[in-house]
Amino acid sequence: MGKSYERIDGRLRAFIEAQHIFFTATAPLDGEGTVNLSPKGLTGSFAVIDELTVAYLDFAGSNAETIAHLRENGRITLMWCAFDGPPAIVRVHGRGEPVFRDDPWWAGLMRYFPDVDPSRHGLRAIIVVTAEKIRDTCGYAVPFMTYEGDRPLHGSRFERETDESLDAYFHKKEHVTTSIDGLPGLPLPLPPLPRTT
């Protein structure tokens, strides 16, 4: 059944990197606050940085709950399920932080995502997670599902945005700069997307 791990390597790392979707869960400190659970996908947008650190690209959307919760308290859980092959669920519980476009850390982190064109999806942050607890469980009740490919809709929607129009889009959304519970979300104005060389 369930087993704990000290690091993300070997078979565990291979399993995580092979999955096409994972889920993130965060919550505010207020016990009455809104718990957030988000699916994450898009091929190439997740990376294992080292044995205790992972990162994923945070793209444009109509809210920024994960960013707001991480800015407040840093708590996050990531979860992967096996939808094909042997059953398995892996969870990484840890501390996360959003790295924004104007952070000096940005350029170094982007090299872990060589197959993603950051201009296509309205990339607004890179979420870096340091693992504190790593566990797997059986996953016996997770159904078999077949991966057919990434949906093209997110890219086709946001690739036509400039930095200025993306900033305007975020300003119009009620829960981008402020979370559902009133916490600070994505800082605006949106800095220009750093150019890669």
Side-chain angles (χ1 to χ4, degrees), residues 94-145:
R95 311 294 294 181
E97 65 176 298
V99 175
F100 300 115
R101 291 172 164 204
D102 55 355
D103 192 298
W105 202 12
W106 181 277
L109 286 170
M110 278 306 300
R111 64 173 212 258
Y112 290 99
F113 306 97
D115 298 328
V116 175
D117 177 355
S119 65
R120 285 201 67 229
H121 295 279
L123 181 58
R124 58 188 186 181
I126 303 168
I127 306 300
V128 179
V129 178
T130 302
E132 295 179 335
K133 185 183 294 183
I134 306 161
R135 290 190 49 78
D136 69 2
T137 50
C138 67
Y140 291 168
V142 175
F144 284 114
M145 290 193 278

Side-chain angles (χ1 to χ4, degrees), residues 21-129:
I21 186 172
F22 65 99
F23 301 87
T24 68
T26 58
L29 291 176
D30 182 350
E32 300 299 314
T34 306
V35 176
N36 188 65
L37 178 64
S38 295
K40 302 294 179 184
L42 295 179
T43 299
S45 65
F46 173 84
V48 177
I49 306 298
D50 61 39
E51 294 177 337
L52 290 176
T53 312
V54 299
Y56 68 89
L57 302 180
D58 182 77
F59 298 113
S62 57
N63 63 44
E65 296 301 299
T66 300
I67 287 174
H69 296 161
L70 294 180
R71 290 181 70 190
E72 185 206 32
N73 61 65
R75 299 179 306 161
I76 188 168
T77 298
L78 309 180
M79 184 184 77
W80 296 262
C81 301
F83 294 111
D84 58 11
I89 298 171
V90 172
R91 291 179 180 88
V92 171
H93 307 267
R95 311 294 294 181
E97 65 176 298
V99 175
F100 300 115
R101 291 172 164 204
D102 55 355
D103 192 298
W105 202 12
W106 181 277
L109 286 170
M110 278 306 300
R111 64 173 212 258
Y112 290 99
F113 306 97
D115 298 328
V116 175
D117 177 355
S119 65
R120 285 201 67 229
H121 295 279
L123 181 58
R124 58 188 186 181
I126 303 168
I127 306 300
V128 179
V129 178

Side-chain angles (χ1 to χ4, degrees), residues 3-21:
K3 181 179 176 183
S4 294
Y5 299 84
E6 292 186 2
R7 60 188 60 85
I8 301 167
D9 61 4
R11 182 186 60 81
L12 188 69
R13 176 173 179 164
F15 171 78
I16 286 173
E17 291 179 330
Q19 304 314 305
H20 298 286
I21 186 172

